[in-house]
Amino acid sequence: IKLKARMKGGRNMGDWFKRAVVYQVYPKSFMDANGDGIGDLRGVTEKLDYIHELGANVIWLNPIYKNSGVDGGYDISDYRAIAPEFGTMEDFDELLRQAHARGIRIIMDLVVNHTSTEHAWFKESRADKDNPKRDFYVWRPPFEGGVPNGERSVFSGSAWEKDEATGEYYLHMFAKEQADLNWHNEQVRQSVYDMMRWWLDKGIDGFRMDVIDMIAKPEEALASDGGPHRNVSTGPKEHLYLREMNREVLSRYNMMTVGETSSATVESAADYANLDGSELSMIFQFQHVSVDEAPKYKWCTDPLYLPKLKRVFDKWETGLYGKAWNSLYWNNHDQPRIVSRFGCDSDEASRVRSAKMLGACLHMMQGTPYIYQGEELGMTNYPLKSIDESLDVESINAYHELVEEKHEMTPEQMMACIRRKGRDNARTPMQWTAEKNAGFTQGKPWMPVNPNHTVINAQAQVGDPNSVFSFYQKLIRVRQEYDVVIDGRFELLMPEDEQVFAYIRDDGKQRMLVICNFSDRDAVLTADAQMEGQILLGNYDEEGEKRKLRPWETRIVILKE
Ligand code: GLC
Ligand code: CA
């Protein structure tokens, strides 16, 4: 009876998300089942056993809806149809069935800040000023003959695009093919809720909500007043709309949600991800993946200064404790590969070691961990040769703006930045085997495979007790076996140390010590990080010294009483 009640609905019924380990699949680059060079849904179904073997119990699928091919599926033209390159609705239903049969839940990407300009709503909306769908999007008259205001697109250039049909401008916070929906329109919100219920009634288990902090843009940012670029995130009605969505949809299903909120702070997260379940289960904050960013834009990269990274995690772990729920991630389809970013990929031993260390550091914190495809193998950044090789609208637009228009960077400087930070790094095909195309496709892959697949691939790692894959399996098992990982308080040690990231988890019954060396040199532990206990997991075969960590070393220790 209890189980049935939990499945039926009601607020808070599912806090299963606290025990979830999410595996993120970027379908286009995961597995191609029909040889056309593009990953597809049947490919995901084929590889469910792999995900199951890793131990993840939720899959987040990047967008698989019909789209216009501009931004990796984030430009949706039909929310209720599968993109033909990914397969059919039957393929989706089969994937869902097969996943559920293995105890794996599936959450989908919900992209409702904007639609493709090829969406039927937009086609109607642009037709004429009196169209009933006109107000579904953000239309403004010109200001003094030009753009309504100085609002900038995240993907470079003005956020306003003139539409010849009516002479007005529509807003696009991303590519010009991605028109922003007007969430202040009640009908827009109801249409979105309908669509969400349609998928949930099909049996999906939740949503990852794309740029959800942008939906409630403050009216003044949208005025045709010639004003400057303003912050459109977390507008005054943001939480109002999410609470409405929660009442109308989320609270009626046994589901999990995670909002992508790059503007979130610990304070706003206490609302977004509050434990009474009136908004979202959790959010993705961006502060820890911004620590190596110079102030101006993501393209300037500062070297990692470890105390800064620790401060961010400490703030989130202690700030949300008992109030809201954290998500934990290093990677996704927008971020460079973590082993190339905060670890070391220049030699094989360091790559394996640092990939494990980074996994341990993240997975033993409080929150729901997300593993991005290939992270469990320690996949690395891609050695992009020139901008012509890039397939990412963000990188391409930024290159044109910063190199060709504004001359802020030389081509070489910009390419160095794109190689470090660009989104192509995450999107090269999954490396299954050492064979041709890494076993991803029998055809010609839509995007080049990283040449290092001959060394870094799933076939070589599954079953090898020393592989990164096996280490991630063990991390997941530790999480399942030790409640302290779920519930314990977080306490940072050695906050100012520039090499060591060390912390304790403590749930009143057990104490766990996690120590990580973020450098390629030996590191000395202070007394408070040298406690006696049982080592559950480490990344060196030979036991080391208690007061010293070797390069990239990590240890997870259950402390003696
Ligand atoms: C999110 C997605 C990203 C996409 C953007 C616009 O940040 O993760 O891939 O380009 O939103 O939808
Ligand atoms: Ca295919």
Side-chain angles (χ1 to χ4, degrees), residues 71 74 114 155 174 208 210-211 260 333-334 423 427:
D71 183 25
Y74 286 91
H114 46 265
F155 290 166
F174 294 89
R208 174 268 186 187
D210 193 58
V211 292
E260 188 206 21
H333 61 294
D334 296 329
R423 305 193 301 179
R427 300 178 182 185

Side-chain angles (χ1 to χ4, degrees), residues 250-264:
L250 312 181
S251 60
R252 295 162 194 244
Y253 296 86
N254 178 23
M255 64 184 295
M256 70 167 260
T257 50
V258 50
E260 188 206 21
T261 53
S262 62
S263 67

Side-chain angles (χ1 to χ4, degrees), residues 493-494 500 502 513-517 522-535 540 542-550 553-560:
L493 308 173
M494 304 173 63
V500 179
L513 170 70
V514 182
I515 37 181
C516 305
N517 182 355
D522 285 350
V524 179
L525 298 171
T526 53
D528 55 346
Q530 292 181 31
M531 288 156 290
E532 288 286 340
Q534 175 211 349
I535 299 187
Y540 273 81
E542 324 76 42
E543 205 174 307
E545 284 173 60
K546 223 178 65 193
R547 52 175 292 279
K548 227 164 84 186
L549 287 179
R550 290 159 285 186
E553 182 166 9
T554 183
R555 292 179 209 152
I556 301 173
V557 187
I558 286 289
L559 295 177
K560 288 217 181 88

Side-chain angles (χ1 to χ4, degrees), residues 206-277:
F207 290 110
R208 174 268 186 187
M209 302 183 179
D210 193 58
V211 292
I212 202 69
D213 56 344
M214 280 189 165
I215 55 173
K217 289 175 253 310
E219 300 283 358
E220 62 280 9
L222 307 176
S224 186
D225 60 358
H229 174 66
R230 283 159 280 210
N231 177 16
V232 299
S233 295
T234 322
K237 296 196 172 157
E238 173 78 16
H239 297 286
L240 195 79
Y241 294 156
L242 285 179
R243 280 166 193 263
E244 178 185 80
M245 178 199 282
N246 186 289
R247 279 194 308 277
E248 301 247 346
V249 186
L250 312 181
S251 60
R252 295 162 194 244
Y253 296 86
N254 178 23
M255 64 184 295
M256 70 167 260
T257 50
V258 50
E260 188 206 21
T261 53
S262 62
S263 67
T265 59
V266 170
E267 294 71 40
S268 69
D271 285 324
Y272 276 124
N274 68 65
L275 293 180
D276 69 8

Side-chain angles (χ1 to χ4, degrees), residues 354-533:
S354 61
K356 292 175 181 174
M357 180 281 289
L358 289 161
C361 181
L362 189 78
H363 278 244
M364 294 299 108
M365 291 192 211
Q366 185 173 46
T368 299
Y370 290 73
I371 302 166
Y372 179 65
Q373 65 184 43
E375 180 183 344
E376 76 284 8
L377 306 175
M379 271 177 65
T380 65
N381 279 353
Y382 177 74
L384 200 70
K385 284 189 270 317
S386 74
I387 192 64
D388 306 325
E389 222 193 334
S390 174
L391 292 168
D392 171 27
V393 60
E394 184 190 35
S395 297
I396 296 168
N397 288 0
Y399 184 94
H400 288 313
E401 183 177 33
L402 299 175
V403 177
E404 289 162 5
E405 283 165 33
K406 296 192 177 159
H407 305 288
E408 282 185 25
M409 286 200 229
T410 66
E412 294 70 35
Q413 284 169 332
M414 188 63 194
M415 281 317 295
C417 295
I418 290 177
R419 269 194 292 273
R420 277 202 299 263
K421 300 293 280 300
R423 305 193 301 179
D424 291 304
N425 288 311
R427 300 178 182 185
T428 59
M430 175 73 176
Q431 293 166 205
W432 295 107
T433 69
E435 279 133 50
K436 190 159 177 246
N437 299 328
F440 161 72
T441 180
Q442 298 300 315
K444 185 177 176 306
W446 75 280
M447 192 177 180
V449 171
N450 195 315
N452 66 20
H453 72 272
T454 51
V455 179
I456 306 170
N457 63 72
Q459 196 176 41
Q461 294 197 26
V462 176
D464 169 2
N466 291 317
S467 68
V468 180
F469 181 89
S470 300
F471 193 86
Y472 266 76
Q473 273 182 320
K474 289 174 204 149
L475 286 174
I476 295 173
R477 246 174 263 147
V478 169
R479 167 170 289 269
Q480 283 156 351
E481 283 168 25
Y482 291 85
D483 282 343
V484 64
V485 182
I486 311 287
D487 302 319
R489 265 176 195 288
F490 175 94
E491 187 195 325
L492 185 68
L493 308 173
M494 304 173 63
E496 297 310 322
D497 193 279
E498 293 180 21
Q499 287 173 278
V500 179
F501 195 148
Y503 59 87
I504 286 182
R505 301 292 309 281
D506 182 347
D507 66 356
K509 291 174 228 129
Q510 221 166 24
R511 275 150 55 83
M512 176 183 272
L513 170 70
V514 182
I515 37 181
C516 305
N517 182 355
F518 270 70
S519 80
D520 58 4
R521 286 152 293 131
D522 285 350
V524 179
L525 298 171
T526 53
D528 55 346
Q530 292 181 31
M531 288 156 290
E532 288 286 340

Side-chain angles (χ1 to χ4, degrees), residues 38-192:
I38 301 173
D40 43 45
L41 291 173
R42 286 171 58 192
V44 182
T45 307
E46 271 179 29
K47 294 296 183 184
L48 281 174
D49 285 332
Y50 170 83
I51 297 170
H52 186 61
E53 181 157 4
L54 177 64
N57 52 14
V58 176
I59 291 173
W60 154 25
L61 272 187
N62 279 105
I64 52 167
Y65 316 92
K66 204 163 166 230
N67 65 80
S68 43
V70 171
D71 183 25
Y74 286 91
D75 46 333
I76 297 170
S77 52
D78 186 346
Y79 287 111
R80 300 180 200 215
I82 303 291
E85 64 269 29
F86 292 148
T88 62
M89 196 56 84
E90 286 69 49
D91 294 337
F92 177 79
D93 293 338
E94 180 62 13
L95 168 60
L96 190 60
R97 223 181 355 258
Q98 294 280 351
H100 284 171
R102 288 166 177 78
I104 298 175
R105 312 203 203 215
I106 292 193
I107 67 173
M108 307 262 290
D109 227 298
L110 181 79
V111 189
V112 290
N113 173 68
H114 46 265
T115 73
S116 161
T117 48
E118 288 176 9
H119 193 287
W121 294 342
F122 189 78
K123 286 187 187 159
E124 283 183 53
S125 183
R126 78 172 359 159
D128 60 272
K129 287 187 191 167
D130 304 318
N131 190 282
K133 293 264 180 332
R134 184 66 170 182
D135 192 45
F136 262 48
Y137 295 85
V138 184
W139 290 99
R140 292 294 179 269
F143 178 78
E144 294 178 350
V147 291
N149 62 39
E151 211 47 59
R152 312 271 308 156
S153 155
V154 176
F155 290 166
S156 307
S158 171
W160 296 101
E161 181 74 10
K162 190 170 185 174
D163 195 51
E164 290 310 329
T166 58
E168 290 196 330
Y169 288 80
Y170 66 87
L171 182 76
H172 63 89
M173 292 309 299
F174 294 89
K176 66 180 191 315
E177 296 84 356
Q178 294 166 298
D180 282 54
L181 284 165
N182 174 18
W183 270 71
H184 303 303
N185 179 315
E186 157 98 47
Q187 260 183 301
V188 166
R189 302 200 301 277
Q190 290 303 331
S191 308
V192 167

